[in-house]
Amino acid sequence: MLGRQVVVTADPEANHFILEQEGKSVEMCYLDSVAQLCGHDESSAGATGHIHRYLRTLILNHFGYERLRYKLLKKVEAMAHKAWLNRATSQIMFDFISKELFSYDPKGCTESMGDAFINFLDSLASVPLNIPGTTFHKCLKEIVDERCASPEIRRGDFLDYFLEGMKKEAFITKDFIAFVMFGLLFASFESIPIVLSLALKLIMEHPLVLQELKNEHEAILRNKDTSNFTLTWEDYKSMTFTLHVIDETLRMANVGLGNFRKALEDIKIKGHTIPAGWTILVVSSVLHMDPNIYPDPLVFNPWRWKDGRSKITTKNFTPFGGGIRFCPGAELSKLTMAIFLHVAVTKYRFTKIKGGNLVRNPVLKFKDGFHIKVSKKISHEDGAEREAKSGSVSIM
């Protein structure tokens, strides 16, 4: 596979074992194209030990529960309203994430960094290419250089942590910072929009699911003071059915190709030996379609998460990876999707125009986009809802 010796595992026990061996008999690795495009070498590809703990702590400090609850929830809600109002979900989500990471201001740029980033992603699954002159690469490097030149200026973003850490940690270089920033952008921008778009597609195709969502979110609004409809953390945690919809969408989406690991030594598992130096591709999609765990696995059924939760474990549901590499941004992803769905079902009506055909190349995407008509709801004193002016939007 792409010039490497690769073993593919789709067995739940083997997958769990491999992911739990991180830092022992396996280490993280990347496709050559990803590493070379980002200027990342093999020696630092699998950040382990102190470096991995340091990065995980930084991410959780900025995107963990406490900050989500007291800082980011309001920002995510404002972003969701803006995205639906302006019919530009992906671009606004990119602007939001990049602002949190390095205070990116699209108004101060002559060209869209989001467009440059999308073009950059097109090269990731190809054979190795080294393109340090791409627009996105230059933009990101310029931001890091500018901030490093004035480290005393604090912006309240994720990059602040790195600028402070450079004083103490030798491994934090400008190239390392740029790579981590790219990784976080990739993890969020390449997953949240596509899962959210798929969720909308599936909801529109299943009227009972849409009605259940409306009931849940309208109940949240009825219980709030009419002078303040801002969502609280308690509101988010009460979105039980919404989270079932998100989990079911994540199960069916299987956004990523899988998790890559490199065997540091010969690994014996279930009568087989994985030779040292081989790349291991841990595939979760087969587990998510196991009829023994998920009856009628090709059917979109959010209620299964209420009725069959006892069968679902971290071994057979791994949308955010596993082991010590479990995604620290998992809660941010779920929060963002839940708030977007809240705004969608309480403020808008939407119908499909065209598109919606899914392909994998190698990540999940809509072949011809997914275009929908969005109409804002207007409530009247008689309690009836009417349709305001509408507009079309390309979700992906």
Side-chain angles (χ1 to χ4, degrees):
M1 182 184 293
L2 293 177
R4 292 190 180 196
Q5 294 173 309
V6 179
V7 59
V8 179
T9 169
D11 177 87
E13 298 295 332
N15 285 6
H16 183 73
F17 175 79
I18 294 298
L19 294 177
E20 290 295 324
Q21 286 298 303
E22 174 82 19
K24 301 173 185 176
S25 60
V26 304
E27 67 177 8
M28 176 177 275
C29 67
Y30 299 93
L31 291 176
D32 294 339
S33 53
V34 175
Q36 292 191 23
L37 275 168
C38 300
H40 209 51
D41 57 38
E42 189 73 20
S43 63
S44 56
T48 57
H50 171 65
I51 297 177
H52 176 254
R53 289 192 297 271
Y54 185 91
L55 288 177
R56 188 173 183 83
T57 299
L58 289 192
I59 295 171
L60 289 175
N61 282 344
H62 199 78
F63 296 107
Y65 282 97
E66 290 300 306
R67 202 159 190 278
L68 283 175
R69 180 171 186 171
Y70 297 108
K71 296 287 185 180
L72 294 180
L73 175 58
K74 291 182 179 179
K75 292 184 179 181
V76 171
E77 185 177 5
M79 172 186 65
H81 282 287
K82 182 179 179 182
W84 281 110
L85 183 64
N86 291 279
R87 316 288 199 261
T89 306
S90 295
Q91 183 62 54
I92 288 175
M93 189 170 294
F94 174 87
D95 293 345
F96 169 77
I97 296 295
S98 55
K99 184 175 179 62
E100 286 298 314
L101 290 176
F102 45 80
S103 297
Y104 169 63
D105 181 8
K107 295 180 181 178
C109 299
T110 57
E111 55 186 322
S112 170
M113 192 174 180
D115 291 341
F117 183 68
I118 294 172
N119 293 333
F120 188 74
L121 292 181
D122 290 340
S123 301
L124 291 183
S126 65
V127 295
L129 294 171
N130 189 8
I131 316 177
T134 59
T135 300
F136 174 75
H137 186 271
K138 289 191 293 184
C139 288
L140 191 55
K141 292 283 286 184
E142 287 172 3
I143 290 171
V144 173
D145 289 341
E146 179 183 343
R147 293 288 295 278
C148 287
S150 303
E152 71 282 356
I153 299 177
R154 291 290 182 262
R155 309 286 180 86
D157 55 19
F158 186 75
L159 185 49
D160 278 349
Y161 293 107
F162 274 129
L163 297 178
E164 186 65 28
M166 291 183 80
K167 303 174 183 177
K168 305 174 184 178
E169 303 289 352
F171 68 85
I172 302 179
T173 63
K174 292 180 181 180
D175 286 340
F176 183 80
I177 294 173
F179 177 79
V180 173
M181 292 298 177
F182 167 80
L184 294 176
L185 274 172
F186 178 78
S188 56
F189 188 76
E190 189 69 1
S191 58
I192 297 177
I194 184 62
V195 175
L196 180 61
S197 300
L198 179 58
L200 283 172
K201 177 181 184 295
L202 292 169
I203 290 166
M204 292 165 64
E205 293 172 348
H206 296 79
L208 292 179
V209 174
L210 177 58
Q211 188 58 53
E212 186 79 8
L213 278 175
K214 287 181 178 180
N215 294 342
E216 180 169 88
H217 290 280
E218 288 170 357
I220 291 174
L221 294 183
R222 284 196 300 271
N223 292 330
K224 301 185 75 64
D225 185 338
T226 56
S227 63
N228 181 17
F229 286 109
T230 302
L231 291 172
T232 65
W233 186 256
E234 289 70 27
D235 293 330
Y236 165 59
K237 300 306 287 185
S238 73
M239 298 177 186
T240 305
F241 186 71
T242 304
L243 294 174
H244 290 342
V245 170
I246 292 170
D247 281 342
E248 181 71 347
T249 306
L250 287 168
R251 180 190 71 81
M252 298 190 73
N254 294 303
V255 176
L257 178 63
N259 298 290
F260 286 96
R261 297 294 186 266
K262 179 181 179 181
L264 300 176
E265 60 187 46
D266 288 352
I267 301 173
K268 297 185 182 299
I269 181 169
K270 290 198 165 184
H272 301 279
T273 299
I274 302 174
W278 277 45
T279 296
I280 307 167
L281 175 56
V282 179
V283 179
S284 60
S285 57
V286 175
L287 308 183
H288 295 167
M289 293 294 169
D290 185 348
N292 295 316
I293 305 298
Y294 307 99
D296 297 319
L298 297 180
V299 175
F300 179 65
N301 177 19
W303 288 276
R304 77 169 78 244
W305 295 86
K306 175 183 178 181
D307 302 330
R309 189 90 209 194
S310 60
K311 293 184 179 180
I312 302 170
T313 69
T314 55
K315 291 184 180 181
N316 52 48
F317 184 61
T318 58
F320 296 105
I324 65 173
R325 296 283 179 175
F326 182 82
C327 177
E331 195 65 32
L332 172 63
S333 298
K334 287 194 171 187
L335 172 72
T336 301
M337 289 185 278
I339 302 304
F340 263 78
L341 291 177
H342 169 79
V343 174
V345 301
T346 58
K347 300 294 183 182
Y348 298 93
R349 292 189 180 92
F350 33 88
T351 54
K352 177 182 173 181
I353 298 176
K354 63 179 181 178
N357 296 317
L358 291 163
V359 295
R360 188 177 295 278
N361 186 32
V363 295
L364 194 69
K365 62 189 296 185
F366 288 104
K367 181 179 180 181
D368 302 311
F370 179 42
H371 305 266
I372 63 175
K373 175 186 175 183
V374 179
S375 305
K376 188 172 177 60
K377 296 178 181 178
I378 295 180
S379 297
H380 291 260
E381 292 182 0
D382 60 4
E385 287 185 345
R386 292 172 175 80
E387 188 174 291
K389 78 174 180 178
S390 61
S392 63
V393 55
S394 174
I395 297 296
M396 284 295 292

